[in-house]
Amino acid sequence: MSSTESPDTGAVPVVPPTRSSRVSPGEVLRTVALPGVTLTVRARPPVRAGLAPALFVHGLGGSSQNWSELMDRLADTVDGEALDLPGFGDAPPPEDGDYSITAYARAVIRHLDSSGRGPVHLFGNSMGGAVATRVAAVRPDLVRTLTLVSPALPELRPQRTAVPTGLLAVPGVVSLFARMTKEWTAERRTREVLALCYGDPARVTPEGFALAVAEYERRLELPYFWDVMARSARGIVDAYTLGGQHSLWRQAEKVLAPTLLVYGVRDQLVSIRMARRASKAFRDSRLLTLLEAGHVAMMEDPDTVARAFRELLADTATTPTPERSAPPRG
């Protein structure tokens, strides 16, 4: 893509279904009904009482289980919950059919307001990183710290490997792809996605691969699977084109929370070039670059990501934070 082309043809990052929808050991799953949307919340009870709450938001094509490994590593540090956004994982589509970044951010805010868990340590990957950025910008009172793993922030010149994924947002392309790949097995689909999202797909164990295949088979049976993918991809591209105060980069500049940015050098969907721009945009940020990781560092190297988050907590515990107030509600 040349620099003169419009960003509405940009790439749309996705994340892989690396496990089945069943609950992992030590986790509990519950359904949360909110106005217009139903969320599924995956929680890992903390090892002791009194830990600060954390909320994890997945990306396009992912689910709350994308965070299971990291939540496990941080069970002694935070009281963690991960969401299935409307239309993903075990959560049904939203009633109004709105799959925009703003709609997802609104769902996260409603959940935090209704649960009373805020302010939280907020995590987001890929599309979930864009959602988390918007939440932190418009409701700073709900966010203690912000951790973004390969956030899907507007990129005018995506790398070639990301362009085919961006075509998901073009009307008719998803249905065409579904027809063209009708004979593909779930095993082939899973291998394609893992090769795109992991810096080294060999990190996925045989057991993990089998679970991912089972999850893909389950998703393909959902009548709304392809429609959700298409509409959510379009929502990301729409967010990329917004200007002014609604621009994701402008909102990144408004974030007050201490921010940890995590990028993989081998990421084929979000260019490592964006790490420098993000570091400049978020006013109180630190950058973790992982040489062997791809698009889902929290799944590829959860130990390193967990260690970096603990370092963020240790440093911010002794640093005064700016005053945060909730905006007036209409």
Side-chain angles (χ1 to χ4, degrees):
M1 176 183 295
S2 70
S3 59
T4 59
E5 289 179 302
S6 170
D8 63 357
T9 58
V12 178
V14 297
V15 295
T18 58
R19 294 186 172 201
S20 70
S21 61
R22 68 186 184 183
V23 181
S24 300
E27 294 180 343
V28 294
L29 205 64
R30 74 180 191 276
T31 299
V32 175
L34 299 170
V37 296
T38 298
L39 307 176
T40 304
V41 179
R42 184 179 306 274
R44 177 172 289 277
V47 298
R48 64 181 184 276
L51 294 179
L55 186 67
F56 301 80
V57 186
H58 65 80
L60 176 66
S63 75
S64 59
Q65 278 216 334
N66 291 128
W67 298 102
S68 288
E69 296 293 340
L70 186 59
M71 282 205 300
D72 178 51
R73 304 305 198 278
L74 293 177
D76 63 346
T77 307
V78 297
D79 181 359
E81 289 187 348
L83 298 180
D84 281 335
L85 293 172
F88 294 97
D90 292 301
E95 294 177 7
D96 61 3
D98 189 347
Y99 295 92
S100 66
I101 296 298
T102 297
Y104 284 137
R106 188 182 305 122
V108 171
I109 291 171
R110 285 176 178 172
H111 171 62
L112 289 174
D113 279 338
S114 65
S115 67
R117 280 172 54 86
V120 298
H121 297 290
L122 186 60
F123 293 72
N125 169 237
S126 194
M127 179 184 76
V131 172
T133 297
R134 185 149 289 173
V135 171
V138 302
R139 289 293 303 274
D141 59 305
L142 293 177
V143 182
R144 297 173 185 245
T145 66
L146 183 63
T147 298
L148 304 177
V149 181
S150 295
L153 300 175
E155 185 175 356
L156 293 179
R157 300 183 61 189
Q159 48 198 339
R160 286 185 178 181
T161 50
V163 172
T165 310
L167 294 176
L168 290 174
V170 178
V173 167
V174 167
S175 58
L176 175 62
F177 178 76
R179 292 194 299 271
M180 292 177 61
T181 62
K182 184 178 181 180
E183 303 304 320
W184 283 20
T185 64
E187 288 85 352
R188 178 175 178 180
R189 295 180 189 276
T190 302
R191 291 189 189 281
E192 294 282 347
V193 174
L194 294 180
L196 185 64
C197 292
Y198 273 68
D200 179 8
R203 291 191 178 198
V204 181
T205 65
E207 178 186 13
F209 179 76
L211 290 173
V213 170
E215 170 65 0
Y216 222 130
E217 289 175 337
R218 184 191 73 85
R219 292 186 182 187
L220 289 170
E221 293 176 356
L222 297 174
Y224 53 80
F225 172 75
W226 290 112
D227 185 58
V228 169
M229 289 294 290
R231 290 175 181 268
S232 296
R234 207 163 299 140
I236 298 175
V237 170
D238 288 344
Y240 279 17
T241 64
L242 291 176
Q245 63 179 346
H246 299 294
S247 161
L248 283 170
W249 284 116
R250 181 71 62 84
Q251 292 190 323
E253 295 171 353
K254 296 179 180 180
V255 171
L256 300 177
T259 301
L260 170 63
L261 301 167
V262 183
Y263 285 82
V265 172
R266 295 186 178 183
D267 195 331
Q268 299 182 65
L269 294 166
V270 172
S271 172
I272 188 63
R273 299 191 309 265
M274 304 308 293
R276 178 176 296 181
R277 180 173 182 181
S279 295
K280 293 180 179 179
F282 290 91
R283 66 179 72 185
D284 183 6
S285 68
R286 61 184 60 196
L287 174 64
L288 171 63
T289 302
L290 298 177
L291 298 179
E292 303 298 323
H295 191 60
V296 286
M298 75 287 187
M299 301 163 70
E300 299 171 82
D301 194 353
D303 291 316
T304 300
V305 176
R307 184 165 58 251
F309 174 72
R310 290 193 184 94
E311 291 173 355
L312 174 70
L313 286 191
D315 291 345
T316 57
T318 58
T319 303
T321 55
E323 182 178 350
R324 304 169 192 176
S325 58
R329 302 184 193 179

